[in-house]
Amino acid sequence: MSNIAAARIQREFKEVVKCDEAAKCAIKVEMVDSDCMELRGEIAGPPDTPYEGGNFILEIKIPETYPFNPPKVRFVTKIWHPNISSKTGAICLDILKDQWAAAMTLRTVLLSLQALLAAAEPDDPQDAVVAKQYKEDPQAFEDTARHWAQVYAQAPCNNPGCSAKVNQLVDMGFTETASREALSMHSWDVEKAVEYLMS
Amino acid sequence: MEEADESVGYDMEFVPPLESKYECPICLMALREPTQTQCGHRFCRSCICQSMRETGSKCPIDNTPLSFSSLFPDNFAKREILGLRVKCPNPGCTFVFELRNLEEHNLKCDFYQEQCGLNCGLLIHRKSMEIHQKNECAKRLVSCEYCFIRIAFDEQENHLKECLKFPVVCQYCQMQLTREELAGHIEKDCFEVIVSCSYANMGCKEKMTRRDMLMHEKNSLVIHLQYVASTLNEMRIKSKRQLEKPETETFYHSWHTDGCKTDNEEGVTYSTSFSDPPSFTNKEPSGAYALEHSAFDFAIPDREPMRKFLPKTFNSNRSRQFSPATSHRSARHHDDIQSQYSTQTMSHMDLSILAERMRYQEGHIATQEQKILELQAKLESRDKEVKELTQKISRWEAIVMSNGIYYWKFENYTELQTITRSGETSVVHSPGFYTGYYGYKLCLRVNLNGIDSAHSSHVSLFVHFMQGEWDDFLDWPFSGKITLTILDQNEDTRVRNHISETLIAKPALAAFHRPKTNRNHKGFGYMEFAPLRTIHAGHYIKENCLLIKAVVHSN
């Protein structure tokens, strides 16, 4: 890793640890290896969103050419969001691509991701199925996102209906993950989900 | 004219802590050579230059399009930042001073650490450097206590594993000798090593220490003679068998090869005395046999040694193959056989002389090989000495030969420029030169492809001061003028148009202070010394060489 990248990450790391948002437990970052090439970020789901109360883990990889090129960031925690792949966690966000600027830091990246959770961009989607649901059936989207946050990001439980449907499919012999995905894709229509799983 | 500096911001602890407006948004450290963009953002000069090279010419904060020419130094911010107070970065030192005094403080700071000049990789306090390099550094030169060669301290262990003069103990007689002597000792001298009897070729199977062997050879004279006799006899029988074969050519061949082999392998088993007549000589020869030997008969009237007449035999054998007259020659047949014996005996004796000579030659070769090895080792140490001396001479030449004028013949220009462009090394330094006898030591530094704002457009040329032999009594900082010239090598001297610039030393700049490292990190010169277009269009490069001249006048 080049000198400038290593020195920057060290400083940015300190900046995140000391910042106000960290004090409020909204963002957090940890070293994964000692040479700073890989970090683990954590953001809290923003209030008044389906993600509220959840903790979302991020994988952050720093390229050699940092800060002249953006860090590679991916959600490790599974999440239901139009701009984040429900399968891989890949993120579609302009500042992590062509709109990156060398003056941005880990802190601004984490805060931007938090803002993305609060304000999705369904017209520039990463996950087309999620984006379609977001636009066409906002209530189903909110239920799904909340359910996923509860299952994968330890958000408090307040919609037992979804879990019941998942259990219904599990009892039919499907795995829990597959059942949840099928139900999520079909806006919790059990029949359609079963049909999808059988095909 | 700009001072060369390629590093990012100041990584210092400020008291009170640095305000964010003085922080470079790229390296997140205190702005070094603050540079402002048209859109009003400040960066270290090297940071913004690197950013524009790496990611295109746009502002790293708001992506406003930028150009190198629109960047300008923010000297207000620079003055403010240099006036901020910082803690000394050297561990152990508690001094707080203005940032502008950093270099000055480092010069006298007892806790200042620098890289050990012997490349051991350690950072050493300036005060302890001498003691470190003398007594502690892993790369300090020490003499091998056995062969007196000079080697780095940490290579000593490996060297001892191969040092030719290292004392070893002979595993047989426990005698102490040097590693290079051991092989020869075991081969020739050691009394305790188990050796085969020198009559092993003749069949003696005895093996014992070399000491006992002397006695054995003395005591077993008679037995050994018997071995020799039976070996000879065996050879004789063998060659006779060969004679009986129809193809004389085969005989000739195997007589030379098989005969020798018999010496070693089968000689022992025969105890018949040498004078025993071969039994088949009494037999009446058959027709084919007679034909065969009449061929010999035809060819040996003068009893020549067998070797000489053999080819003739071959011819005559063929020519007489169809002759009807064979049996009338049988009366003379016995005499023929006799003559063959005597020739064969002679040849056997020749053989043993040859074998003896071969043994002697082999011993001789072994001695020679040993001598060659010794000479090679000697040669290697001489080579090392020569190399050291050459280095010394070139150092002294550099002192003696120059009188403030230095020509740098920059060879392989094209290759270096290609490498430079691919980003391998952005900079090439000339060898050091002195401004005169007891003068300053300097070197030239060239960035073939320019740096920073001159990147890809100009050749950048700088001078760097180096630590010289006479620095102790020279005046510092250096004052005087330096003329740098890229020479036009046009054949026609009338149209030569040298590119030349003269600079006057500014004592305030660190570049003209006494160098604290082998080469002062700070240089002084021109980022835009000469446009690359001009260099490539004119006659500045001839036979792939660029000629750079430096004239240094000190006051």
Side-chain angles (χ1 to χ4, degrees):
Chain A
M1 179 178 262
S2 70
N3 268 341
I4 182 161
R8 259 230 13 182
I9 288 297
Q10 295 280 1
R11 282 166 183 274
E12 290 184 31
F13 184 75
K14 280 185 204 148
E15 183 198 33
V16 174
V17 171
K18 277 193 275 183
C19 73
D20 297 340
E21 292 85 359
K24 285 185 275 175
C25 301
I27 60 171
K28 200 166 129 186
V29 64
E30 287 168 10
M31 297 271 177
V32 170
D33 56 1
S34 53
D35 69 352
C36 311
M37 288 295 266
E38 196 175 331
L39 299 124
R40 204 177 93 118
E42 211 176 302
I43 54 175
D48 303 323
T49 67
Y51 310 104
E52 183 174 5
N55 260 322
F56 297 89
I57 313 261
L58 299 155
E59 173 192 274
I60 306 168
K61 287 185 173 164
I62 308 297
E64 292 264 343
T65 50
Y66 191 80
F68 303 112
N69 287 103
K72 295 184 173 57
V73 188
R74 184 180 77 82
F75 271 85
V76 176
T77 307
K78 283 173 89 67
I79 184 167
W80 191 255
H81 187 282
N83 302 106
I84 301 160
S85 163
S86 60
K87 302 227 160 37
T88 63
I91 304 166
C92 177
L93 182 60
D94 56 357
I95 62 147
L96 292 178
K97 290 174 182 151
D98 53 330
Q99 289 304 302
W100 170 257
M104 292 178 182
T105 64
L106 289 177
R107 177 172 159 268
T108 54
V109 166
L110 294 179
L111 292 176
S112 301
L113 286 171
Q114 215 174 20
L116 181 70
L117 296 191
E121 295 271 1
D123 294 324
D124 183 18
Q126 173 78 30
D127 195 313
V129 177
V130 186
K132 190 161 172 272
Q133 190 184 60
Y134 182 91
K135 286 210 261 189
E136 291 172 3
D137 190 350
Q139 187 55 49
F141 166 78
E142 202 185 315
D143 288 346
T144 315
R146 201 178 294 281
H147 174 69
W148 280 49
Q150 170 215 319
V151 173
Y152 296 115
Q154 296 86 44
C157 170
N158 46 18
N159 188 353
C162 294
S163 301
K165 285 181 181 170
V166 171
N167 286 336
Q168 200 182 326
L169 261 63
V170 169
D171 288 341
M172 290 166 74
F174 300 108
T175 66
E176 190 187 324
T177 316
S179 307
R180 181 171 298 115
E181 270 175 17
L183 283 164
S184 300
M185 286 163 73
H186 297 94
S187 301
W188 302 92
D189 184 323
V190 176
E191 260 176 48
K192 279 188 185 163
V194 171
E195 201 177 300
Y196 170 80
L197 285 168
M198 303 286 275
S199 63
Chain B
M1 197 185 290
E2 289 164 275
E3 195 168 353
D5 196 320
E6 292 146 56
S7 50
V8 295
Y10 296 100
D11 186 9
M12 308 286 296
E13 190 179 333
F14 286 81
V15 187
L18 185 70
E19 289 176 75
S20 62
K21 64 179 174 181
Y22 293 136
E23 192 180 89
C24 168
I26 295 177
C27 64
L28 303 180
M29 296 187 252
L31 291 161
R32 190 190 292 266
E33 299 294 321
T35 300
Q36 231 188 84
T37 61
Q38 293 269 294
C39 52
H41 296 116
R42 272 193 292 241
F43 306 92
C44 300
R45 199 181 60 201
S46 80
C47 290
I48 186 65
C49 287
Q50 198 186 347
S51 170
M52 285 166 73
R53 282 200 299 267
E54 302 251 354
T55 61
S57 300
K58 54 178 191 181
C59 173
I61 293 182
D62 59 9
N63 287 339
T64 306
L66 299 176
S67 68
F68 278 107
S69 57
S70 70
L71 300 176
F72 58 93
D74 186 339
N75 287 326
F76 180 84
K78 181 175 177 177
R79 188 166 51 248
E80 295 271 302
I81 292 167
L82 289 177
L84 297 174
R85 291 170 68 74
V86 293
K87 272 190 185 165
C88 173
N90 302 325
C93 181
T94 54
F95 261 70
V96 175
F97 46 83
E98 285 188 6
L99 180 58
R100 72 176 82 253
N101 295 328
L102 175 62
E103 295 235 354
E104 191 190 315
H105 172 76
N106 268 344
L107 278 180
K108 56 189 183 193
C109 179
D110 287 343
F111 297 93
Y112 182 78
Q113 291 184 317
E114 50 193 0
Q115 286 279 347
C116 167
L118 300 177
N119 288 330
C120 70
L122 291 183
L123 284 170
I124 304 295
H125 282 148
R126 182 188 288 125
K127 277 205 308 192
S128 338
M129 186 64 83
E130 201 174 320
I131 297 168
H132 164 78
Q133 292 193 347
K134 204 170 152 195
N135 297 332
E136 297 158 1
C137 179
K139 295 289 176 196
R140 69 183 190 271
L141 287 183
V142 292
S143 288
C144 169
E145 58 180 306
Y146 304 107
C147 68
F148 305 109
I149 237 172
R150 299 281 285 173
I151 40 167
F153 178 76
D154 61 351
E155 284 160 22
Q156 214 173 7
E157 202 174 315
N158 280 335
H159 167 74
L160 288 184
K161 286 180 193 154
E162 21 190 85
C163 175
L164 289 178
K165 303 286 184 201
F166 187 77
V168 290
V169 174
C170 169
Q171 62 197 95
Y172 303 106
C173 67
Q174 313 306 321
M175 188 189 202
Q176 267 227 353
L177 10 78
T178 66
R179 185 173 278 131
E180 63 183 340
E181 291 165 346
L182 184 64
H185 164 78
I186 292 174
E187 179 81 12
K188 290 193 197 129
D189 303 331
C190 179
F191 275 126
E192 303 304 331
V193 83
I194 308 280
V195 292
S196 300
C197 174
S198 49
Y199 288 87
N201 284 346
M202 300 289 156
C204 180
K205 293 225 166 73
E206 293 293 341
K207 283 187 177 177
M208 56 194 81
T209 61
R210 188 173 273 126
R211 182 190 310 284
D212 295 340
M213 191 53 79
L214 287 176
M215 197 56 85
H216 164 75
E217 283 178 4
K218 207 169 169 187
N219 293 346
S220 313
L221 217 55
V222 179
I223 302 172
H224 284 156
L225 268 178
Q226 279 174 359
Y227 280 136
V228 172
S230 58
T231 305
L232 287 175
N233 200 28
E234 160 63 10
M235 281 168 71
R236 191 191 61 189
I237 292 166
K238 200 131 197 193
S239 47
K240 182 147 293 171
R241 263 191 228 130
Q242 295 292 342
L243 270 173
E244 287 170 40
K245 289 191 181 165
E247 272 299 316
T248 336
E249 199 176 25
T250 322
F251 155 70
Y252 174 61
H253 178 69
S254 46
W255 185 66
H256 276 273
T257 52
D258 284 5
C260 297
K261 218 184 275 168
T262 320
D263 275 10
N264 308 334
E265 292 158 4
E266 296 166 40
V268 182
T269 55
Y270 289 85
S271 57
T272 40
S273 97
F274 182 58
S275 55
D276 278 353
S279 51
F280 67 87
T281 47
N282 297 330
K283 284 185 190 162
E284 203 50 35
S286 70
Y289 187 68
L291 175 68
E292 195 59 37
H293 288 275
S294 58
F296 277 115
D297 184 27
F298 174 77
I300 352 170
D302 52 355
R303 308 269 147 111
E304 255 185 312
M306 197 175 264
R307 275 189 302 267
K308 289 183 186 166
F309 72 73
L310 270 169
K312 270 193 240 166
T313 317
F314 180 72
N315 289 336
S316 51
N317 185 20
R318 286 280 165 82
S319 61
R320 290 181 68 103
Q321 199 97 54
F322 306 104
S323 163
T326 49
S327 56
H328 74 277
R329 288 186 167 269
S330 58
R332 280 182 61 192
H333 190 245
H334 190 78
D335 289 343
D336 296 343
I337 298 289
Q338 287 288 341
S339 68
Q340 282 163 34
Y341 276 141
S342 58
T343 355
Q344 277 177 17
T345 315
M346 268 175 71
S347 308
H348 282 310
M349 281 165 76
D350 284 354
L351 242 192
S352 63
I353 289 166
L354 276 176
E356 186 57 40
R357 192 171 290 169
M358 206 162 81
R359 263 198 291 281
Y360 169 74
Q361 297 282 14
E362 273 168 5
H364 194 62
I365 286 169
T367 328
Q368 296 296 338
E369 274 173 354
Q370 184 63 29
K371 264 188 192 155
I372 288 172
L373 281 180
E374 280 166 19
L375 285 171
Q376 266 173 348
K378 252 186 203 161
L379 198 64
E380 266 166 36
S381 72
R382 286 282 184 284
D383 279 351
K384 252 185 203 156
E385 279 167 27
V386 168
K387 210 169 152 191
E388 277 168 23
L389 284 173
T390 318
Q391 275 172 359
K392 255 189 200 163
I393 288 170
S394 67
R395 226 176 48 224
W396 282 98
E397 266 179 359
I399 297 172
V400 176
M401 306 283 281
S402 84
N403 47 355
I405 303 174
Y406 176 70
Y407 285 91
W408 185 17
K409 194 168 182 184
F410 195 102
E411 288 169 326
N412 301 332
Y413 176 83
T414 321
E415 291 84 334
L416 277 164
Q417 232 229 351
T418 320
I419 295 169
T420 307
R421 211 173 296 159
S422 71
E424 288 268 322
T425 31
S426 59
V427 54
V428 187
H429 290 92
S430 75
F433 62 90
Y434 281 82
T435 59
Y437 208 96
Y438 305 125
Y440 295 88
K441 190 179 184 187
L442 296 89
C443 71
L444 298 175
R445 168 192 140 193
V446 67
N447 290 67
L448 285 181
N449 220 19
I451 51 164
D452 292 354
S453 56
H455 186 71
S456 311
S457 63
H458 288 77
V459 171
S460 307
L461 185 56
F462 305 91
V463 288
H464 282 256
F465 277 79
M466 296 177 78
Q467 282 179 335
E469 307 272 335
W470 325 114
D471 287 357
D472 284 335
F473 55 78
L474 288 168
D475 290 331
W476 296 101
F478 170 87
S479 76
K481 59 178 186 178
I482 300 172
T483 307
L484 298 172
T485 311
I486 291 185
L487 295 174
D488 186 344
Q489 303 182 58
N490 200 324
E491 296 279 347
D492 188 348
T493 52
R494 286 166 303 173
V495 299
R496 281 186 187 167
N497 183 19
H498 304 314
I499 305 172
S500 190
E501 296 281 354
T502 300
L503 56 89
I504 310 284
K506 294 179 183 170
L509 291 179
F512 297 106
H513 287 231
R514 181 171 174 177
K516 295 182 287 283
T517 46
N518 179 31
R519 185 172 60 221
N520 195 340
H521 297 311
K522 303 269 186 176
F524 197 76
Y526 304 85
M527 295 246 261
E528 301 181 353
F529 188 84
L532 283 170
R533 266 200 315 278
T534 316
I535 296 289
H536 294 149
H539 290 83
Y540 297 98
I541 299 150
K542 196 172 162 193
E543 288 164 4
N544 211 7
C545 282
L546 189 68
L547 269 180
I548 302 174
K549 179 186 177 186
V551 182
V552 186
H553 289 294
S554 58
N555 293 343

